[in-house]
Amino acid sequence: MKVALIFLATVLAIASATPFVKPNVVDWERAQNELTEMRSIIGTAVNTIKEVSMKANETIGKIIADELDAKKPIAVAILNKTSDEINQKALTAAQARGYFEQLDTLVLTLRDTLKDVVAQLPKDVEEQVHDLFYKAHIKAGQKATLIIQILADV
């Protein structure tokens, strides 16, 4: 819950602090590039979480990896749909917000599901995993906010 509140506060702070100049034309390429960066942030975090948890405890690491892998098709589907609609120049800011809210819910559910499992890791690794989740969540949220701003005139 704390991460969700921090995420929301960060998104709101960025949205309110960022001056928005109404573009004449939506920069679809920039929106796609930001989405690609978002994918990279998420993918890197997932792979790093798997790696550090497996190194610390193979059994627990396997449980974490399996849970992450189980949610991957859902996240990929959301990101692919978003990407396809950007490529078709058919994505609105409201639709993007809805897709990103689905992705956010998936991440928060995953974090809550893994909370007890991650707690079984050595303390330093547990903190590292929480930190990876947190930082990736914030960075992906910033990208989501930027994409929504880019699409605001569609």
Side-chain angles (χ1 to χ4, degrees), residues 25-94:
V25 177
V26 172
D27 189 347
W28 294 103
E29 184 177 343
R30 183 171 175 220
Q32 191 63 263
N33 290 340
E34 295 297 337
L35 186 64
T36 299
E37 287 182 30
M38 178 191 279
R39 278 184 196 266
S40 177
I41 290 164
I42 294 167
T44 300
V46 166
N47 290 335
T48 307
I49 288 167
K50 287 181 187 179
E51 184 180 313
V52 299
S53 60
M54 284 289 235
K55 280 183 183 177
N57 183 313
E58 195 170 326
T59 303
I60 293 171
K62 176 86 170 98
I63 293 168
I64 293 169
D66 288 348
E67 192 64 36
L68 290 169
D69 290 342
K71 300 291 189 247
K72 183 178 179 179
I74 300 166
V76 168
I78 293 167
L79 292 168
N80 285 347
K81 183 159 182 60
T82 306
S83 179
D84 290 346
E85 290 186 22
I86 288 173
N87 285 336
Q88 295 168 12
K89 298 181 173 143
L91 185 65
T92 66

Side-chain angles (χ1 to χ4, degrees), residues 79-148:
L79 292 168
N80 285 347
K81 183 159 182 60
T82 306
S83 179
D84 290 346
E85 290 186 22
I86 288 173
N87 285 336
Q88 295 168 12
K89 298 181 173 143
L91 185 65
T92 66
Q95 289 169 312
R97 183 176 292 110
Y99 295 152
F100 296 143
E101 285 172 358
Q102 290 174 14
L103 197 56
D104 186 51
T105 300
L106 179 68
V107 169
L108 294 174
T109 302
L110 184 60
R111 190 207 59 201
D112 290 344
T113 301
L114 290 173
K115 184 173 57 176
D116 292 336
V117 177
V118 171
Q120 296 175 40
L121 291 167
K123 193 69 174 163
D124 61 326
V125 177
E126 176 188 3
E127 290 173 4
Q128 186 179 7
V129 169
H130 285 300
D131 191 50
L132 287 164
F133 259 111
Y134 173 75
K135 286 181 179 175
H137 196 191
I138 294 298
K139 288 178 183 177
Q142 290 169 340
K143 292 295 178 187
T145 300
L146 187 54
I147 293 167
I148 292 166

Side-chain angles (χ1 to χ4, degrees), residues 6-27:
I6 292 171
F7 174 75
L8 181 59
T10 303
V11 170
L12 293 175
I14 292 168
S16 64
T18 306
F20 182 73
V21 178
K22 188 174 180 180
N24 294 330
V25 177
V26 172
D27 189 347

